[in-house]
Amino acid sequence: MSIAKTFFGNLPNGDGVDLYTITNKNGSSVSLMTLGGGIQALKVPDRNGELADVVLGFDDPVHYLNTDLGYQGLLVGRVANRIRDAKFSIDGVEYHLPANQGTWTLHGGGRFSFTNWEVEEATDNSVTFKKFSPDMEDGFPGNFTLTVKYIFTDEDVLRLEYTVLSDKKTAANPTNHAYFNLSGKSEGTIENHYLKINADHFTETDSDQLPTGELGEVKGTMMDFNDLHKIGDKIDEPFRAIIDGIGYDNNYCLNKAPRDFTQAAVLYDEESGRKMEVYTDLPGVQLYCGGWLAKEGNPGKGDSKVIFRRGVALETQFYPDSVNFPDKFPFSYAMPGEEFKTVTEFRFSAE
Ligand code: BGC
């Protein structure tokens, strides 16, 4: 294993963004950037040993700041996904957040994703990013530190260890927002990727994609990914949980005890043979196929543009808006002075 640090580029405010590239014995590599503690590139072999980059992103760090380009590869905090009416209560105290989407908050307002993280440690096979957020920043209680340790192994496993520490009881739901396309090609959508999600239920949503608190059954609907099949098979079927033309952008409730570490999903590209398994100790995963991205005109990496359905995100998390359903959905608060930890792994192979 080896690690190399390079300069990626400057942000409009003059901040420089660094890249840390970890390479394993097979030549597989992951490039992690200080901006948003994000995954900028991830090169893994196909069934013939050919390496290719399987995450979407950009050649210039500036584009990562554009929310219309969908949080490519970035870490998300303090609380990923949607919070209805941009508010929630803890022990009778109401907290108000920035509403950055209509009347609700998406991805905690975005601050964690769009600034540089401190590098606490870099070793041959790991990078540990750290971000501090003071009490009541963006309305969230607690002096809050989020640490994310990325570990890359010789077995092509990318492991993300999240640690939250706060001095007040608070909400935390960090995730990573990488979009995968296992083909390694610069064209085509993920509709021909096979997907399996170990979930019998999804969170029902209203017309703004905000959870209603109810769980829907996947059985007999386009939402069912219990059997490995192509994402595109049913993506455009009309269904109550799907916004016309967008396709999947839904939280799945994983079949497991909430904090057990198990396989959540499998993504497979038949042509290259590349396979990715997602493991997590969190209860949910947001399946998002980039349906809100523009169909053309967006930048990307080389010829690979960040456009409609080019990549699929599998964001491990507590269910969206859990802060407003803390008794109904499986959720744990970060308690004062106690480290709250969660782990997700992306395991790559080829067959
Ligand atoms: C959301 C999408 C959103 C995307 C980028 C996903 O987690 O579910 O609706 O467009 O993030 O912000």
Side-chain angles (χ1 to χ4, degrees):
M1 306 286 308
S2 67
I3 192 163
K5 180 182 170 188
T6 51
F7 180 67
F8 186 32
N10 281 308
L11 300 178
N13 68 0
D15 286 356
V17 178
D18 290 327
L19 268 186
Y20 288 79
T21 301
I22 304 171
T23 306
N24 72 14
K25 68 166 196 241
N26 319 314
S28 303
S29 64
V30 60
S31 298
L32 304 163
M33 58 179 175
T34 47
L35 176 60
I39 303 171
Q40 196 271 334
L42 182 49
K43 294 179 183 159
V44 291
D46 67 5
R47 66 165 73 83
N48 302 315
E50 279 303 311
L51 294 172
D53 193 353
V54 296
V55 295
L56 307 192
F58 309 104
D59 296 321
D60 183 336
V62 168
H63 300 306
Y64 287 94
L65 301 178
N66 182 349
T67 49
D68 289 343
L69 296 176
Y71 291 70
Q72 300 298 321
L74 302 171
L75 292 173
V76 177
R78 296 181 184 195
V79 176
N81 219 311
R82 292 157 176 81
I83 299 180
R84 185 184 285 273
D85 294 334
K87 65 177 187 190
F88 65 97
S89 300
I90 299 179
D91 298 336
V93 181
E94 195 166 275
Y95 297 98
H96 292 263
L97 318 168
N100 60 343
Q101 292 256 310
T103 54
W104 64 96
T105 304
L106 181 67
H107 299 329
R111 185 187 296 267
F112 278 67
S113 305
F114 303 128
T115 52
N116 268 329
W117 290 47
E118 178 194 329
V119 176
E120 191 181 51
E121 192 190 27
T123 71
D124 277 359
N125 71 343
S126 75
V127 177
T128 306
F129 291 112
K130 190 172 172 175
K131 186 96 189 153
F132 173 73
S133 168
D135 188 26
M136 297 310 291
E137 186 175 51
D138 292 336
F140 289 97
N143 287 300
F144 180 97
T145 305
L146 174 57
T147 308
V148 182
K149 180 172 189 175
Y150 286 92
I151 303 165
F152 193 50
T153 75
D154 277 330
E155 291 71 43
D156 293 340
V157 175
L158 181 64
R159 180 177 166 94
L160 284 73
E161 297 178 351
Y162 300 81
T163 306
V164 168
L165 188 61
S166 167
D167 60 358
K168 279 192 190 157
K169 182 174 173 182
T170 196
N173 190 8
T175 193
N176 176 283
H177 211 305
Y179 294 67
F180 300 93
N181 184 315
L182 301 179
S183 75
K185 290 185 174 168
S186 57
E187 278 179 9
T189 71
I190 42 67
E191 287 171 43
N192 62 354
H193 277 44
Y194 287 76
L195 179 66
K196 179 179 196 294
I197 303 180
N198 297 312
D200 292 336
H201 295 90
F202 64 97
T203 41
E204 292 276 10
T205 45
D206 66 13
S207 56
D208 286 328
Q209 295 183 280
L210 295 164
T212 60
E214 302 306 314
L215 305 186
E217 275 190 43
V218 300
K219 205 176 162 106
T221 77
M222 68 176 291
M223 302 298 287
D224 194 348
F225 277 101
N226 277 298
D227 295 315
L228 188 80
H229 65 271
K230 284 188 181 170
I231 294 177
D233 283 351
K234 298 182 177 171
I235 194 169
D236 287 316
E237 274 189 11
F239 187 67
R240 64 179 186 278
I242 302 285
I243 293 184
D244 251 4
I246 301 303
Y248 299 103
D249 187 7
N250 304 87
N251 173 68
Y252 282 81
C253 311
L254 299 170
N255 294 336
K256 68 190 190 68
R259 299 305 317 275
D260 279 0
F261 184 73
T262 61
Q263 187 196 67
V266 180
L267 186 68
Y268 175 64
D269 173 46
E270 200 172 22
E271 210 181 317
S272 66
R274 287 191 191 89
K275 182 168 119 179
M276 178 180 83
E277 291 168 85
V278 183
Y279 277 72
T280 188
D281 61 2
L282 288 169
V285 65
Q286 181 88 7
L287 165 64
Y288 174 51
C289 297
W292 292 106
L293 294 168
K295 292 193 170 150
E296 54 189 17
N298 285 345
K301 279 188 258 182
D303 293 334
S304 172
K305 305 298 178 204
V306 171
I307 51 175
F308 183 77
R309 296 189 186 165
R310 262 290 291 159
V312 50
L314 289 158
E315 307 150 53
T316 56
Q317 55 188 242
F318 287 112
Y319 304 172
D321 206 20
S322 278
V323 288
N324 284 309
F325 297 101
D327 303 320
K328 213 163 176 186
F329 292 167
F331 186 64
S332 352
Y333 291 100
M335 300 306 280
E338 283 175 28
E339 284 187 341
F340 169 80
K341 288 178 178 287
T342 145
V343 177
T344 290
E345 284 184 4
F346 299 106
R347 302 182 181 179
F348 296 89
S349 55
E351 54 184 49

